[in-house]
Amino acid sequence: MATLLAFCVAQAQSTGKVTGKVIDASSGEAVEYATVALLKPADSSVANGTVTASNGTFAVSAPAGTYLLKISFMGYQPYMHHSVLKLSAGKTEKVGTIKISQNSQLMSEVVVKAERSMVDYQLDKRVVNVDKNIVSGGGTATDVLENVPSVAIDNDGNVTLRGSTNVKVLINDRPYELLGSDLETLLEQIPASSIENVEVVTNPSAKYDPEGMSGIINLKLKENTVGAQGLNGVVNINFGSPLPQFVPTSMATVNLNYNTGKWGFFFSADGGLRSRAHKSTSYIRRYSHGAQYSDDSLYEQSVHNNYMGSMKVGGEYHFTDKSILSLSYQLRGGNRVRRNSIDDVDLFTGNNYLNYTQTDTNKNRSLNHTINLNYTQKFDKKDQMLTADITYSRRNGWGDGLQQQLYDEPFANLYNYYLRNSESDNKNQTLNLKLDYVHPLTDKLRLETGYEGRIMHSDQNYEYYLSQYDPISGALQKSLDERSSTHFDYSQQVHAIYLTLGWQVAEKLSALAGLRGEYSSVGGEDKNHPAVDPVKKEYWQLYPTLHLSYTINQNQSLQLSYSRRVRRPHMWDLNPYLDVREGNQLGFGNPYLDPEFTNSFELSYNLGINKVNIFTSAYFRQTNNMMTRYGFVWDEASANYYSPWMPYNSEYDGYWASTWQNLNKGLNYGLEFIVDWQIAKWWKVNVSVNLYESMIEGTELLNNQDKSAFRASGKFSSFMTLPKDWTIQLSGQYRAPFMDLQTDMLASYWADLAVKKDILQKRATISLRVGDVFCTGGFGHTTDNEQMYRVMRSRRISPSVTIGFSYKINNGRLMRNRDDDGDDDGGSVMDY
């Protein structure tokens, strides 16, 4: 023991120490997790390093000698100390307070704001830092997106960007389809604590898939790259429920990584239950040839339970400082149960008046396997880089459903009980390939090119059975509903090559021009209905893009951008199978549906004044061959006119049918305002407003009349850092009423409140979240035309209360995305 003690004393006496503090040069706020390195002057190799604490301080030791001090952090210009430091044995060198400035080089972040706030503004995207938003704590990706400016999620789970549902959603730069679930289910399966930030790309460059008229939403998860050396991680536990009714929601996540320098390993797991509930009332009256055909009223209660869990394991190996290979495997499973009960249905059809109750139960289980292999090669030439990425995903899904109707009186004098069963067995396989190469031609000119391919095959099998009780024998008669059952074999391929050229045109002007060429093909066949023509389409398209950025002065900048976008029909948009739903509704696809193409223009202005940043954007989109879902009352004449590919069946006369159509042209234009205001050192506010007008040129389907709709929405978030490590956030959002193609939508608004406190010397956090504090969350719509009069009102059960606990292992520094690896040069000078 004495020998060991003497050795430790000798080591301490032979080393010196450097201490200091790192702050933001603009706001004076401490910068946490900045990388501090002591470099050997001879070869700039790292002698030792550390990261700054939450208050920006650091202390790093090294053997006695001379060193260079370097500090770097994502989004900031690298800092090199003005003089060589000479460390003496047993002595401490104090460098004091070091100010670092945010990066404003070519095509880097255009940041003119008071501090690193909830939203960072870049040339072609906005980055929302999720850790700044505590009202989504304990929730899922759905809750995160609901608090992102410009983004909303409607009550059917559809994600909208600036009021448009035509948006591409990515998970770590990959299409969400690679993870094998429908988007609504997948967002409910990703814990909010697993999300690092959300990128909103309203006018993407040619590097990105052009899918989506309004842009791209990219959820960046805390994974892919191992962080600081040693063992690090975070554990989160949350539990909650609405107060009026016990509908439990719980979530637990763990993220761990271990790094030895050469090798890195990471592991993450999550699991829990996400529940939602709402109540609604509906009144529907349908007309046929001017005469009333049916009349019904419904009272519905719905509870959705989503059980989810995932596990991801992987690692990376550094062949050299410039060559990195990573491999990961993820297993994700889910079990989603939906229960709807409809009471007091008063149905008038023909000369019959019926009253019945209906219950719907649907259970869907899924198991998804995803394997990812990634290789990154950097070169001696600054910013030259090659990356290759391969992702394979396989998903199996099973489901069964039961719809029951119990009539007060026997229907058609035969039975008073109706059953409709459904069974599904689905298989999906997707292979995604990406190859990207960046080559700086000069200090002011950079070339980037690459290939992206996606090959997908899906086998969807849905069978529906009708069951009736014979009043005489009492036996249950079950028969296959061949009209509604479908076995759809579908495949899709997209192959693209892109090229972008970044150019520093002048001191204040930079440009990014790009061109993407794509070949895509789709094929689908309903094996249950061979008489229906199979889907077979091929497309060759070019997608140009252009981004210009002009820095007026230190506090002002302008950006102008253009891109050509596409919206491709999805599998169920094309499948002509007949989906019979509750409330006498039909839905089916259109095998003749074609993609729509959009020319998108955007002009934005960024202004920073003291502690206020104002972002303003004006946008205009013209869409040709517009895809629109259109509804009509089913009868022989309407079916033959609106959907000639669908065989007429008189059994569904009077039902409300909806399918997809290609209309002529659509125009969309709007203004968006986002204000970040640092009111005080402890209080900041973010307010966003979107004003949006959409127009559809009249076609024969619309009786040659133009349709237009004005929409307005806004979000508000107040974030306060209080003494004793308390934080409180109040957020709210409002969607103004608007007129859709066939429906008047009512206004909706709600507010959320969250409080958290750091404990155990900031190694742990406890939180409390109250969702829909004032119990105003709900939605409704009214349709009034020559075919239907419908009024629907729905309200979710609220408020909901969630409590949470989070604990950091060591410094809690989690895995970072490879794009944010904080390399020594502070990032590419042309990074966009």
Side-chain angles (χ1 to χ4, degrees):
M1 175 64 92
T3 302
L4 178 60
L5 180 60
F7 175 78
C8 293
V9 172
Q11 286 294 103
Q13 291 177 344
S14 64
T15 61
K17 182 187 295 185
V18 179
T19 62
K21 182 177 182 179
V22 180
I23 65 172
D24 186 296
S26 174
S27 67
E29 295 289 325
V31 178
E32 184 180 7
Y33 293 141
T35 300
V36 181
L38 290 176
L39 310 179
K40 297 177 181 179
D43 57 4
S44 295
S45 62
V46 178
N48 200 5
T50 186
V51 294
T52 55
S54 58
N55 60 357
T57 61
F58 67 88
V60 57
S61 301
T66 57
Y67 298 95
L68 301 173
L69 175 65
K70 184 172 183 177
I71 297 173
S72 58
F73 189 65
M74 178 184 65
Y76 285 78
Q77 296 179 11
Y79 170 88
M80 187 70 72
H81 196 58
H82 55 79
S83 61
V84 176
L85 298 178
K86 184 175 182 179
L87 300 189
S88 301
K91 302 292 185 179
T92 299
E93 184 77 17
K94 298 179 180 179
V95 296
T97 300
I98 295 174
K99 299 179 180 180
I100 60 176
S101 302
Q102 296 182 19
N103 199 337
S104 59
Q105 293 176 329
L106 173 64
M107 296 189 183
S108 182
E109 291 179 312
V110 181
V111 183
V112 281
K113 57 187 179 62
E115 60 133 25
R116 290 181 60 81
S117 63
M118 188 180 300
V119 183
D120 291 336
Y121 302 93
Q122 302 182 12
L123 175 61
D124 63 342
K125 62 187 175 185
R126 300 191 297 275
V127 180
V128 180
N129 300 307
V130 173
D131 61 340
K132 299 290 185 181
N133 198 329
I134 62 175
V135 296
S136 58
T140 64
T142 300
D143 302 293
V144 170
L145 290 180
E146 284 185 339
N147 287 279
V148 172
S150 310
V151 179
I153 298 182
D154 66 21
N155 293 277
D156 294 323
N158 299 311
V159 178
T160 64
L161 177 59
R162 288 176 169 173
S164 172
T165 57
N166 186 4
V167 56
K168 186 69 173 179
V169 177
L170 306 178
I171 310 294
N172 274 357
D173 301 312
R174 302 179 183 92
Y176 75 86
E177 296 92 342
L178 292 181
L179 297 179
S181 299
D182 64 275
L183 181 57
E184 181 185 5
T185 301
L186 179 61
L187 294 179
E188 290 289 313
Q189 292 179 345
I190 299 177
S193 58
S194 298
I195 302 174
E196 181 76 29
N197 56 54
V198 179
E199 297 178 346
V200 180
V201 191
T202 54
N203 223 6
S205 68
K207 178 179 179 179
Y208 294 93
D209 185 345
E211 176 84 22
M213 176 184 71
S214 58
I216 293 173
I217 299 172
N218 187 18
L219 281 76
K220 306 286 280 189
L221 305 184
K222 297 174 180 176
E223 54 186 8
N224 288 348
T225 300
V226 178
Q229 290 196 14
L231 177 65
N232 299 272
V234 172
V235 177
N236 294 281
I237 301 174
N238 297 276
F239 179 81
S241 172
L243 291 179
Q245 180 177 337
F246 184 66
V247 184
T249 294
S250 60
M251 189 73 66
T253 63
V254 57
N255 291 271
L256 302 172
N257 67 78
Y258 183 79
N259 184 16
T260 66
K262 198 75 171 178
W263 287 91
F265 305 94
F266 55 85
F267 171 83
S268 64
D270 60 70
L273 165 65
R274 167 76 168 182
S275 300
R276 292 185 299 166
H278 75 271
K279 299 179 180 180
S280 66
T281 58
S282 299
Y283 173 77
I284 307 174
R285 179 184 299 160
R286 300 180 181 87
Y287 300 91
S288 179
H289 302 292
Q292 179 177 327
Y293 187 87
S294 65
D295 191 7
D296 53 56
S297 58
L298 305 87
Y299 174 74
E300 180 179 1
Q301 297 186 75
S302 175
V303 177
H304 296 178
N305 295 321
N306 187 16
Y307 303 86
M308 78 287 287
S310 73
M311 178 273 295
K312 184 170 185 177
V313 61
E316 61 181 28
Y317 178 71
H318 295 243
F319 296 98
T320 66
D321 291 340
K322 300 182 183 296
S323 301
I324 304 173
L325 180 68
S326 67
L327 176 67
S328 67
Y329 165 75
Q330 183 179 54
L331 175 66
R332 181 182 296 276
N335 184 6
R336 187 166 192 167
V337 181
R338 300 186 181 187
R339 294 185 177 91
N340 288 23
S341 61
I342 304 177
D343 298 324
D344 300 326
V345 181
D346 300 318
L347 174 65
F348 175 82
T349 174
N351 296 319
N352 297 318
Y353 180 86
L354 300 172
N355 183 272
Y356 67 90
T357 59
Q358 177 175 305
T359 59
D360 293 272
T361 302
N362 291 278
K363 299 179 181 179
N364 293 281
R365 298 166 296 279
S366 63
L367 192 64
N368 184 74
H369 307 267
T370 302
I371 300 174
N372 174 252
L373 180 66
N374 182 280
Y375 177 75
T376 300
Q377 176 66 59
K378 298 180 180 180
F379 300 89
D380 293 335
K381 189 173 185 179
K382 187 178 179 180
D383 300 329
Q384 186 180 2
M385 181 184 298
L386 174 70
T387 58
D389 190 280
I390 302 174
T391 302
Y392 172 77
S393 178
R394 179 180 178 87
R395 174 183 180 262
N396 293 330
W398 311 269
D400 57 79
L402 176 63
Q403 182 183 100
Q404 306 176 69
Q405 292 179 353
L406 178 61
Y407 295 86
D408 289 351
E409 300 293 336
F411 179 65
N413 298 318
L414 292 177
Y415 57 88
N416 63 353
Y417 203 75
Y418 166 87
L419 294 175
R420 186 170 187 262
N421 301 82
S422 64
E423 298 177 2
S424 63
D425 184 7
N426 306 316
K427 298 179 178 63
N428 300 272
Q429 295 185 79
T430 305
L431 178 65
N432 197 70
L433 308 171
K434 291 185 69 176
L435 183 66
D436 296 291
Y437 176 67
V438 181
H439 188 94
L441 301 175
T442 68
D443 291 340
K444 296 184 178 182
L445 197 64
R446 185 181 76 168
L447 175 70
E448 184 169 2
T449 186
Y451 160 81
E452 182 175 7
R454 185 166 67 252
I455 304 171
M456 188 267 282
H457 178 260
S458 180
D459 187 76
Q460 305 285 325
N461 191 5
Y462 286 82
E463 294 182 348
Y464 291 89
Y465 298 89
L466 298 178
S467 302
Q468 300 172 0
Y469 283 104
D470 190 314
I472 300 176
S473 65
L476 182 65
Q477 300 175 347
K478 182 178 179 181
S479 59
L480 177 67
D481 184 0
E482 295 183 356
R483 291 182 301 272
S484 298
S485 300
T486 181
H487 184 181
F488 199 55
D489 188 82
Y490 179 82
S491 62
Q492 181 189 57
Q493 292 192 38
V494 179
H495 300 277
I497 297 176
Y498 80 90
L499 184 146
T500 65
L501 190 65
W503 182 23
Q504 182 72 54
V505 182
E507 180 181 356
K508 295 185 176 182
L509 178 64
S510 59
L512 178 67
L515 182 65
R516 185 183 183 99
E518 277 196 357
Y519 165 78
S520 62
S521 66
V522 294
E525 180 181 6
D526 189 345
K527 297 182 177 180
N528 283 12
H529 305 96
V532 178
D533 293 338
V535 178
K536 189 173 182 180
K537 298 176 180 291
E538 291 183 317
Y539 304 97
W540 294 88
Q541 293 292 332
L542 292 176
Y543 301 96
T545 64
L546 177 64
H547 293 75
L548 299 174
S549 179
Y550 181 74
T551 302
I552 301 173
N553 53 43
Q554 185 178 359
N555 299 318
Q556 299 180 78
S557 64
L558 282 171
Q559 291 85 39
L560 176 65
S561 61
Y562 162 78
S563 67
R564 185 172 188 255
R565 315 287 301 154
V566 64
R567 182 185 182 186
R568 307 181 186 97
H570 294 166
M571 176 174 59
W572 293 112
D573 303 336
L574 297 167
N575 187 359
Y577 104 98
L578 196 64
D579 182 15
V580 184
R581 307 166 185 170
E582 67 273 5
N584 291 356
Q585 298 184 73
L586 304 174
F588 48 90
N590 179 356
Y592 302 103
L593 192 66
D594 288 320
E596 65 180 27
F597 298 94
T598 298
N599 292 306
S600 177
F601 302 85
E602 184 169 347
L603 175 64
S604 60
Y605 171 67
N606 221 3
L607 172 65
I609 305 175
N610 295 326
K611 295 181 179 295
V612 179
N613 185 84
I614 302 173
F615 175 84
T616 307
S617 178
Y619 55 92
F620 174 84
R621 300 188 293 255
Q622 176 184 312
T623 303
N624 298 315
N625 207 37
M626 188 174 181
M627 290 167 45
T628 302
R629 195 162 187 88
Y630 191 80
F632 59 93
V633 173
W634 180 274
D635 57 33
E636 186 172 11
S638 297
N640 292 334
Y641 179 74
Y642 292 111
S643 55
W645 64 88
M646 180 62 64
Y648 168 69
N649 187 338
S650 61
E651 179 181 347
Y652 301 120
D653 278 353
Y655 279 41
W656 181 256
S658 61
T659 188
W660 288 94
Q661 303 279 2
N662 282 115
L663 299 182
N664 190 16
K665 182 184 295 184
L667 298 177
N668 304 272
Y669 51 89
L671 287 173
E672 184 176 34
F673 305 91
I674 302 178
V675 179
D676 287 308
W677 184 15
Q678 188 77 34
I679 300 176
K681 186 176 180 179
W682 54 272
W683 185 16
K684 57 188 172 185
V685 171
N686 178 277
V687 179
S688 62
V689 177
N690 184 40
L691 308 176
Y692 166 67
E693 178 85 15
S694 63
M695 299 178 62
I696 300 176
E697 187 177 280
T699 65
E700 190 173 355
L701 281 175
L702 301 177
N703 298 320
N704 294 315
Q705 294 182 354
D706 295 342
K707 297 287 184 178
S708 64
F710 175 78
R711 306 184 189 185
S713 62
K715 293 187 178 184
F716 166 84
S717 181
S718 172
F719 190 89
M720 291 177 282
T721 303
L722 305 178
K724 306 292 185 181
D725 297 323
W726 284 92
T727 304
I728 184 170
Q729 182 181 358
L730 175 67
S731 70
Q733 46 189 300
Y734 172 78
R735 302 176 198 166
F738 65 92
M739 175 64 185
D740 206 346
L741 183 63
Q742 294 178 290
T743 304
D744 285 310
M745 308 296 295
L746 299 184
S748 60
Y749 48 91
W750 63 91
D752 301 324
L753 177 67
V755 179
K756 78 171 184 176
K757 177 176 172 54
D758 294 331
I759 59 175
L760 301 179
Q761 298 179 341
K762 295 190 176 182
R763 291 194 300 270
T765 301
I766 55 175
S767 62
L768 172 67
R769 174 181 179 268
V770 182
D772 195 9
V773 178
F774 304 109
C775 306
T776 58
F779 66 100
H781 55 76
T782 301
T783 302
D784 188 5
N785 55 41
E786 67 278 3
Q787 299 187 92
M788 169 185 286
Y789 176 73
R790 176 175 60 189
V791 177
M792 194 281 288
R793 302 290 184 267
S794 179
R795 185 168 300 280
R796 58 187 178 188
I797 298 176
S798 59
S800 62
V801 178
T802 303
I803 57 175
F805 175 78
S806 175
Y807 182 79
K808 299 178 181 179
I809 301 172
N810 289 334
N811 61 12
R813 187 172 174 85
L814 283 178
M815 299 162 281
R816 297 170 296 175
N817 290 289
R818 176 161 289 105
D819 292 340
D820 301 332
D821 60 4
D823 40 1
D824 292 339
D825 60 20
S828 167
V829 296
M830 293 185 177
D831 191 18
Y832 59 91

